[in-house]
Amino acid sequence: MITLRSSDGETFDLDEVVAVELLTIKNMMEDCCADSVIPVPNVEGKILAKVIEYCKKHVKSTAMAEEHAISDADLKAWDSDFIKLDQATLFDLIMAANYLDIKSLLDLLCQTVADMIKGKSPEEIRKIFNIKNDFTPEEEKEIRRENQWAFE
């Protein structure tokens, strides 16, 4: 059993098979730095709980796939439900997946963000992510002219 401690002091006990899905933790374990509680200073408890939920499901589905042939469709459906999150949680999960080096989770979350902005105008994207337009009208006109291919 491996114990992780989030930045806000919450602790989580994981089976080693789940803990190695978090490559940052796996590397700490291999370097013999994981004798007791492993601190995860960049991730809050509620986000770490979501990360662990994802890893447990994917480890479980891999194990079940060998025994009961769980379908990829079932896992994709679970992933689709998993990513139905508010924007703040989505971005916190991206940061956690990046820090903990969980490629499959990072890919899933980044694809979710890409899908959010696909086909949107720059103005719509600014509105979605609450980004202030700091270009003057002249600067924006020049950028649009230089990158006209992107606006076609």
Side-chain angles (χ1 to χ4, degrees):
M1 215 37 126
I2 305 295
T3 303
L4 305 180
R5 182 182 307 118
S6 66
S7 63
D8 52 359
E10 208 171 330
T11 58
F12 300 87
D13 293 324
L14 316 178
D15 290 328
E16 189 170 330
V17 69
V18 175
V20 297
E21 292 294 303
L22 296 80
L23 293 183
T24 301
I25 303 304
K26 178 184 177 189
N27 292 337
M28 292 174 115
M29 291 165 48
E30 289 172 353
D31 293 340
C32 299
C33 300
D35 294 337
S36 58
V37 176
I38 300 173
V40 185
N42 296 353
V43 184
E44 290 181 356
K46 71 176 189 162
I47 300 301
L48 190 54
K50 293 290 286 179
V51 168
I52 292 167
E53 176 187 1
Y54 173 87
C55 290
K56 282 181 178 178
K57 182 66 175 184
H58 280 254
V59 166
K60 182 180 175 184
S61 73
T62 302
M64 288 177 66
E66 294 168 4
E67 297 173 19
H68 303 292
I70 188 171
S71 74
D72 284 341
D74 290 342
L75 190 57
K76 285 183 181 185
W78 186 88
D79 284 349
S80 292
D81 287 337
F82 179 80
I83 59 172
K84 292 178 183 170
L85 306 162
D86 62 86
Q87 232 178 61
T89 303
L90 179 66
F91 290 123
D92 286 346
L93 270 173
I94 288 172
M95 298 298 287
N98 185 51
Y99 173 71
L100 295 168
D101 199 4
I102 309 166
K103 184 179 180 342
S104 62
L105 178 57
L106 186 59
D107 289 348
L108 175 67
L109 297 168
C110 288
Q111 185 61 56
T112 302
V113 173
D115 292 343
M116 289 169 69
I117 64 174
K118 186 176 183 178
K120 303 278 193 292
S121 70
E123 293 77 22
E124 290 170 315
I125 294 169
R126 284 187 194 109
K127 186 174 181 178
I128 290 169
F129 298 118
N130 198 25
I131 300 171
K132 181 180 176 274
N133 183 0
D134 56 355
F135 290 118
T136 66
E138 296 79 23
E139 289 172 327
E140 190 162 347
K141 186 177 179 182
E142 179 64 20
I143 288 170
R144 286 181 181 271
R145 189 187 61 71
E146 289 174 358
N147 300 289
Q148 189 173 0
W149 59 269
F151 296 98
E152 294 174 350

